[in-house]
Amino acid sequence: MAAVPVLVMPLKLWIDRPGPLTAESGYYPSGHTATAMVAYCGAALLLAPRTGRAGRGWAMPVAVVLSAATGIGLVLRGYHWPLDVLGSWLLCGMLLALLVAALRRIDNRGAAGSGTDAP
């Protein structure tokens, strides 16, 4: 969550894009979409291993639907252009992919150091 404003705010200042219903600028990428995606998908990543096989089957799809609904809602209400939302989804998708890779690397190190065979 801390990485979202660090990534989003400099882009908003650099691109300085106006919103759909206002002359004010700083709308690309969508900070609300980015925060929602990282929160929902991050929660799914944390919940899935602790809820067993069933949790892995529903946690991430629910997070993706909630993230998509947030972004679509922002566009439909006129707060953001579709590209604002798409940019946030791509940016946070990369951020979450890096998080997953880091967590797997940490998990693999823990399994190798414990003396047990990792699956």
Side-chain angles (χ1 to χ4, degrees), residues 49-117:
R50 288 158 182 78
T51 56
R53 186 169 289 236
R56 283 189 286 272
W58 65 263
M60 192 54 74
V62 168
V64 168
V65 167
L66 290 172
S67 298
T70 300
I72 292 167
L74 288 166
V75 171
L76 292 176
R77 295 294 302 160
Y79 294 121
H80 282 286
W81 296 106
L83 190 58
D84 301 345
V85 171
L86 180 62
S88 288
W89 284 337
L90 294 174
L91 181 68
C92 291
M94 290 187 312
L95 181 66
L96 288 165
L98 290 172
L99 175 64
V100 168
L103 290 174
R104 283 185 180 156
R105 189 169 195 180
I106 290 168
D107 192 38
N108 287 341
R109 283 185 184 171
S114 67
T116 62
D117 291 330

